[in-house]
Amino acid sequence: MDITLITLLAVGLIFVLLAIGTPVFAALALSGAFGIIMSEDLSFLLSRLKSLPFSSAANYSLTVIPLFILMGAFAHQAQVGRRLFHVANKWVGHLPGGLAMAGILTSAGFAATSGSSVATAATVGAVAIPEMKRAGYDPRLAAGSVAAGGVLGVLIPPSVLLIFYAALTEVSAGKMLIAGFVPGILTTIVFMAGTAIVARHNIAARSPRAGWGERLRATGQAWQVLVLFLIVLGGIYLGLVTPTEAGAIGALAAFLMLVLSREGRRGLGGRLQESFRSTTTTTVMVLFTMIGAGIFSYFLTLAQVPQAVAEAIVGSGVPPLLVVGILLLLYIPLGMFLDAFSMMVITLPIMFPTVTGLGFDPIWFGILCVKMCEIGLITPPVGLNCFVIAGIDRDTPLSDVFRGALWFIAMEMVTVLILFFIPVITTWLPDTMMGR
Amino acid sequence: ATSLKFDSYVTETAGPSWIDRWFLDELEKRSGGEVKVRRYWAGSLNKVGEHLGAVRDGTSEMTLISPGYYQAEVPVTRGLEWYFRVDRADTLQLVCRDVYEQFAPLRQEWEERHRCKVLYWTNWNYAPLVMREPITSIEDIKGKKIRGYGIATDVIQRLGGVAVPMAAGEVYQALERGVLDGVYGFDFVTAVAYKLHEIAPNFYDIGDGAHAPAVTVMNRGVFEGLSAANQQICTDLANELYGGKFTEIYDRVLTDYVKKALAEGARLQSLPEAEKAKARALVQPAETQQWVDTVATPAGIDGAAMQALIDAAIARHAPAGRLRRSVEIAAEL
Amino acid sequence: MERLNRALERVSHGLTWVALAFLGFMMVAITVDVVARALIGSAVPGLFEMTEMSMVMVVFMGLGATLVDDGHIRVTLMTDALPLHLSRGLAALGWILAALTFLLLAWPATQEAAYSFSIREFRWGYFHVPVWWAKIATAFGLWFAALQALVHAAMIATGRIAPDPRESASH
Ligand code: NA
Ligand code: NA
């Protein structure tokens, strides 16, 4: 059978399997398996799968995932998220859509302690959604804002995805982490401005405006976030620890905060077990989605599909900046059904040399690449953040979560355009702090 | 036409990849397009540590294998992997070829156990000791945190350093922030490609000689399925590599990377001869003896016999060794 | 079948504790390593490799709990709109396909584990860390997950569990 036809059938199969409610990892794995069997044979597939489950998990660079999620889980159990939301509410709660903005600010703050988008969305969603619903917010705006806010988790350092990009392309991981900072702030600002526009006709209750003294006092209550921020980023920046080690130490610090906090001591055993267990199941879910995506992307790599597409774009003779633009746009269809890690593994071997070969800054492209991948976290049909929010807010159907996230996809495109046309926003901080 | 997948765990600009690319290009050209090779670099098809299983099971047809990644699977081949024993990388290549022909357990390991045809032996040229701060003696390595992998960790420990295992992607940042004082076990080309000299510009030749042998293999069933003419092309290409092509390609690549490294601020130096001798005495023959005692003997391999063959091969080829180290190239520029 | 399901849940509960122990180990051991490096200038030998093995144990011993806690993501957008008997049938099919995926992984993983054990495979480094035991655990975790997913499908097909756990939660 023709490889183009096999590819189309395999991609189609993903959508069919997802539509009938097959777990996502199985839909990806079986579609990939179908493609591999059609282009090679069953024994080829079975040989390939021998070491795949083990080697997918036995990967030191991925150990940051459970560690940062665990840190987030402890912080959540220690009510860090609730306090942070309380602080953010004092600052912006009186504005139109103020609670949604508070949720986004909370995400930005929590992102500074969590390396994972899913963990950020889950933690902030658990505190912000009930508050927004109580205030009479449109559930789509409530769910969409926290699902989208979660993407800040992989942009504002620490970030699993920024490090992953650095490892794949051999650019400096430290530079990538620092480069995420300013675009993270910009994303936050665009989200807040966009929320104000979306919510301008919002009739929901606003919080009373708080005085400056009250705002500052409230801010002091969120000291734990500052401590975790200092431990993680300070540790990495001062050269005391590697990112994985920062994750372990941050998790242990959050664990101590939980054990020592007044809220945490009540039912401590249950809280600990819950933190460990939810971290385990989230890690399994992420890893299995990666294994499924790994099988599917193995098929795509074997068939050399992304190469063919990327090479076609590169060889088309269009101007360099347009080439980069088209390559980035490619992430939207890919992001509909592939996870960010797989997308990077598949595409970067072709895209990265192309983009750097055209003379563009690898850090600038890296941040844009991460931004495009994070959009995939909130686009249907496979959007990890939206799944998590639908899991937390069981009254809002998944379709409404995706609908709410659409507004934020539009805002993300605005941010990407700004970053695309003004590279200095991305490159200024890393170049200033770490040299070119 | 035959379509083959060449599956490499390293990037296409890594040291041995220059040798592999020449071989693949020539194979395609000389077979008149009858053999086509799809190339998968940097673990894009199979991941690090999966390549041996893949070529054995036939999910890839050709691959580059560094024995360090498969310690339990290639115990005999590990008997070829030594620092402070073979001065020049082209000598090491010929030593590996000869011992492969002479020592039956080594051939069995590849031909029977892993069902592979050895296309040619290759290696990772030279591994500089990359340090943030300058050093003048082996004594200066004491207590320094140095990233190493595989047998390189053993060398670091024997020289008095603290071996820190670390994923390759974290190395630059760890150097930058001072988690590491140095790096050992990256070949010169890779060290420059990773831009380690931006943080740690002091590259030392510590007298360790050639770095890490590797071997490019083809699945045996696939090789036997090639036409006699194409098999002959593979044999001819291997002989050309052994006959000087290897040295020629590597000398050109190393020269390019030396120029690049010097332009970007690297300082290529050599420790004094007395210090090199001191380092050699700390590492050899203890390291080789440890392999004989802890790996070869338990696996029922006559380790002493293999090492004797290696010694004889070194004596045979060392006088003609000519592939220059980076520090020598820099001096002659 | 309900007895079998309960037995599987008990086993998965036991496996979860193994996963939690390795997760805790990762957090504590890596911290200890950093402290050791700072205080006595020496890394803990073999820890790097043990961290990778811990990750394997967290993932494959935590598989059971992930199914019990409904941790695997599914899209129920379309099936929710269907009549109950149809959505039940499709959900059961979905879990049979999940079981098929686990089987597709479990069989080769078992071959790999057998090979790994036969050569007593270890990871390189200054210190030899055996890895064959984690490969055996990988295969075991996958077989267990396959069985668990099949029983889960049967429980849904026969109406003992709601096709979408969210519905049972909202009742
Ligand atoms: Na973050
Ligand atoms: Na998506």
Side-chain angles (χ1 to χ4, degrees):
Chain A
M1 206 190 282
D2 173 50
I3 194 69
T4 315
L5 182 59
I6 297 174
T7 308
L8 290 175
L9 286 176
V11 170
L13 189 58
I14 291 183
F15 285 95
V16 172
L17 292 176
L18 286 178
I20 65 169
T22 312
V24 172
F25 78 90
L28 291 167
L30 292 174
S31 306
F34 165 82
I36 296 168
I37 293 172
M38 293 307 288
S39 48
E40 301 280 345
D41 57 29
L42 178 64
S43 76
F44 182 95
L45 173 71
L46 292 178
S47 298
R48 173 60 194 116
L49 294 183
K50 272 184 191 171
S51 57
L52 184 92
F54 176 84
S55 58
S56 301
N59 181 343
Y60 190 80
S61 349
L62 296 184
T63 55
V64 293
I65 293 176
L67 293 171
F68 280 133
I69 294 177
L70 190 60
M71 180 171 89
F74 287 141
H76 168 64
Q77 292 288 347
Q79 311 292 322
V80 170
R82 174 166 303 174
R83 271 185 237 169
L84 201 57
F85 183 71
H86 179 69
V87 173
N89 195 19
K90 287 270 185 257
W91 286 86
V92 295
H94 59 284
L95 299 168
L99 283 177
M101 289 190 199
I104 288 161
L105 270 187
T106 311
S107 302
F110 195 79
T113 67
S114 164
S116 143
S117 182
V118 177
T120 305
T123 307
V124 178
V127 291
I129 291 179
E131 300 282 338
M132 282 193 259
K133 281 191 171 164
R134 203 175 306 148
Y137 270 61
D138 181 341
R140 287 175 303 179
L141 177 61
S145 68
V146 278
V151 303
L152 294 167
V154 290
L155 196 58
I156 295 178
S159 160
V160 184
L161 212 51
L162 292 176
I163 290 176
F164 196 65
Y165 175 87
L168 279 178
T169 60
E170 298 176 9
V171 304
S172 155
K175 238 177 159 176
M176 272 309 284
L177 285 176
I178 288 169
F181 195 74
V182 176
I185 306 272
L186 178 69
T187 307
T188 310
I189 292 170
V190 171
F191 275 170
M192 300 214 353
T195 303
I197 296 170
V198 170
R200 68 191 181 281
H201 302 305
N202 190 354
I203 40 91
R206 297 184 194 172
S207 310
R209 187 190 197 100
W212 285 98
E214 199 183 339
R215 290 180 186 180
L216 290 175
R217 264 195 308 282
T219 307
Q221 290 169 4
W223 62 270
Q224 288 121 317
V225 179
L226 196 66
V227 170
L228 289 180
F229 188 84
L230 284 179
I231 290 175
V232 171
L233 266 199
I236 296 172
Y237 188 70
L238 294 176
L240 304 172
V241 291
T242 63
T244 302
E245 293 167 348
I249 295 173
L252 199 65
F255 170 80
L256 293 177
M257 283 176 187
L258 171 59
V259 173
L260 299 176
S261 74
R262 213 173 331 123
E263 296 92 337
R265 270 198 299 270
R266 276 193 307 270
L268 181 63
R271 285 171 192 274
L272 288 180
Q273 205 186 327
E274 169 56 27
S275 301
F276 274 113
R277 189 169 172 124
S278 65
T279 301
T280 302
T281 56
T282 308
T283 305
V284 172
M285 183 268 279
V286 172
L287 253 291
F288 262 80
T289 308
M290 286 175 70
I291 288 173
I295 296 172
F296 190 75
S297 66
Y298 180 86
F299 159 66
L300 289 180
T301 309
L302 190 69
Q304 302 195 310
V305 173
Q307 281 96 323
V309 175
E311 276 163 14
I313 294 170
V314 172
S316 61
V318 292
L321 199 61
L322 193 57
V323 169
V324 179
I326 296 172
L327 289 177
L328 287 170
L329 280 179
L330 200 59
Y331 282 111
I332 290 183
L334 288 177
M336 285 168 68
F337 52 88
L338 288 182
D339 72 289
F341 291 97
S342 301
M343 272 194 274
M344 285 192 177
V345 175
I346 297 172
T347 57
L348 285 178
I350 312 121
M351 289 195 186
F352 185 76
T354 307
V355 170
T356 50
L358 290 171
F360 293 103
D361 188 300
I363 302 284
W364 167 77
F365 181 72
I367 295 297
L368 285 170
C369 172
V370 167
K371 289 279 324 169
M372 294 308 289
C373 286
E374 59 173 283
I375 290 176
L377 291 166
I378 53 175
T379 54
V382 185
L384 219 53
N385 283 11
C386 292
F387 292 140
V388 168
I389 294 303
I392 290 169
D393 176 12
R394 302 232 160 191
D395 304 328
T396 309
L398 185 59
S399 48
D400 278 355
V401 180
F402 276 125
R403 224 162 277 148
L406 272 182
W407 289 317
F408 293 87
I409 295 172
M411 298 175 210
E412 282 287 74
M413 293 316 294
V414 172
T415 314
V416 168
L417 284 175
I418 296 174
L419 293 174
F420 183 78
F421 285 110
I422 316 176
V424 71
I425 297 175
T426 306
T427 55
W428 173 74
L429 192 63
D431 285 350
T432 307
M433 288 180 78
M434 303 175 73
R436 283 199 60 95
Chain B
T2 313
S3 176
L4 306 176
K5 292 185 290 297
F6 175 79
D7 182 23
S8 175
Y9 75 100
V10 294
T11 61
E12 64 182 301
T13 53
S17 302
W18 296 86
I19 309 294
D20 289 334
R21 275 154 60 197
W22 177 83
F23 184 93
L24 301 178
D25 290 345
E26 289 295 315
L27 176 59
E28 286 183 330
K29 206 159 68 194
R30 295 188 196 184
S31 69
E34 201 189 308
V35 178
K36 279 252 170 277
V37 188
R38 286 183 279 165
R39 295 133 210 240
Y40 298 91
W41 302 103
S44 60
L45 191 61
N46 290 292
K47 303 286 165 271
V48 174
E50 295 182 326
H51 289 76
L52 181 56
V55 75
R56 185 176 55 226
D57 294 336
T59 56
S60 75
E61 284 82 30
M62 297 169 72
T63 191
L64 170 76
I65 299 290
S66 291
Y69 287 95
Y70 306 94
Q71 297 218 350
E73 299 189 275
V74 293
V76 189
T77 308
R78 280 175 62 207
L80 294 168
E81 187 175 32
W82 306 115
Y83 291 103
F84 294 100
R85 236 178 126 188
V86 183
D87 278 343
R88 299 205 179 262
D90 49 343
T91 308
L92 176 62
Q93 191 203 22
L94 298 178
V95 167
C96 290
R97 178 197 64 181
D98 286 7
V99 175
Y100 186 74
E101 281 165 9
Q102 295 162 354
F103 194 59
L106 182 56
R107 273 198 314 281
Q108 282 158 8
E109 185 163 280
W110 287 102
E111 291 172 10
E112 283 151 42
R113 181 167 175 183
H114 297 299
R115 303 191 288 273
C116 282
K117 155 78 184 171
V118 167
L119 293 172
Y120 49 90
W121 290 89
T122 176
N123 60 59
W124 284 90
N125 61 85
Y126 302 101
L129 174 64
V130 178
M131 298 297 290
R132 280 166 58 104
E133 301 299 328
I135 59 169
T136 53
S137 67
I138 293 300
E139 183 64 26
D140 289 345
I141 297 173
K142 273 238 160 57
K144 293 281 195 306
K145 290 166 290 185
I146 298 172
R147 186 262 188 187
Y149 239 18
I151 192 124
T153 55
D154 181 77
V155 172
I156 296 162
Q157 295 282 354
R158 286 182 195 271
L159 296 182
V162 179
V164 182
M166 189 175 284
E170 291 189 1
V171 168
Y172 179 97
Q173 191 191 353
L175 263 183
E176 189 170 48
R177 299 282 148 238
V179 177
L180 291 176
D181 300 308
V183 175
Y184 183 60
F186 275 17
D187 78 295
F188 181 74
V189 175
T190 306
V192 175
Y194 268 57
K195 308 236 174 272
L196 300 187
H197 52 279
E198 291 180 358
I199 317 293
N202 306 291
F203 282 38
Y204 292 98
D205 174 4
I206 56 170
D208 52 354
H211 173 47
V215 59
T216 300
V217 298
M218 186 185 281
N219 177 286
R220 235 179 86 188
V222 172
F223 183 79
E224 283 159 8
L226 293 179
S227 69
N230 288 335
Q231 288 181 356
Q232 189 57 45
I233 292 173
C234 290
T235 310
D236 291 346
L237 290 172
N239 285 333
E240 285 177 37
L241 283 174
Y242 295 134
K245 197 77 197 171
F246 176 86
T247 315
E248 180 195 318
I249 296 172
Y250 247 146
D251 201 65
R252 181 168 39 86
V253 172
L254 288 175
T255 304
D256 286 349
Y257 275 84
V258 164
K259 285 181 190 158
K260 194 168 158 185
L262 290 175
E264 292 173 6
R267 290 191 286 274
L268 311 185
Q269 299 150 84
S270 186
L271 284 185
E273 290 305 317
E275 291 298 320
K276 288 183 182 173
K278 203 192 278 176
R280 181 181 298 254
L282 285 170
V283 176
Q284 294 296 6
E287 195 174 69
T288 310
Q289 192 56 44
Q290 195 185 19
W291 170 82
V292 171
D293 296 340
T294 65
V295 180
T297 308
I301 303 161
D302 188 347
M306 181 175 170
Q307 296 308 323
L309 287 175
I310 292 177
D311 284 332
I314 293 172
R316 202 160 46 244
H317 296 296
R322 61 193 173 91
L323 181 60
R324 296 175 300 163
R325 294 183 194 84
S326 50
V327 62
E328 293 169 323
I329 293 172
E332 290 167 26
L333 276 180
Chain C
M1 185 162 37
E2 274 167 16
R3 281 235 305 276
L4 178 57
N5 190 45
R6 268 198 301 279
L8 287 179
E9 279 189 13
R10 269 200 300 279
V11 175
S12 101
H13 194 70
L15 295 180
T16 307
W17 279 106
V18 178
L20 302 195
F22 276 96
L23 182 56
F25 169 83
M26 272 164 75
M27 173 177 78
V28 175
I30 294 176
T31 308
V32 167
D33 187 49
V34 173
V35 173
R37 208 173 53 212
L39 295 185
I40 56 175
S42 159
V44 178
L47 186 91
F48 183 85
E49 293 80 3
M50 268 311 291
T51 307
E52 292 193 334
M53 294 310 112
S54 300
M55 186 75 181
V56 172
M57 296 305 280
V58 169
V59 171
F60 293 97
M61 296 294 100
L63 258 181
T66 309
L67 192 141
V68 171
D69 294 1
D70 193 32
H72 291 297
I73 336 160
R74 292 166 57 221
V75 183
T76 53
L77 196 71
M78 275 62 103
T79 50
D80 281 350
L82 297 173
L84 182 64
H85 69 279
L86 259 180
S87 70
R88 184 183 286 165
L90 286 179
L93 177 62
W95 284 106
I96 289 173
L97 291 172
L100 178 66
T101 306
F102 287 132
L103 281 177
L104 212 51
L105 295 169
W107 171 242
T110 306
Q111 291 178 307
E112 174 72 12
Y115 174 68
S116 176
F117 180 71
S118 75
I119 59 170
R120 302 293 189 277
E121 191 181 359
F122 58 86
R123 276 284 164 93
W124 58 348
Y126 178 56
F127 192 77
H128 286 182
V129 178
V131 301
W132 51 267
W133 57 275
K135 289 198 170 171
I136 293 174
T138 301
F140 176 80
L142 287 166
W143 283 111
F144 178 78
L147 181 61
Q148 199 189 17
L150 266 186
V151 171
H152 194 71
M155 298 282 289
I156 289 172
T158 55
R160 289 179 172 87
I161 304 180
D164 181 357
R166 253 181 253 174
E167 284 169 34
S168 52
S170 60
H171 288 169

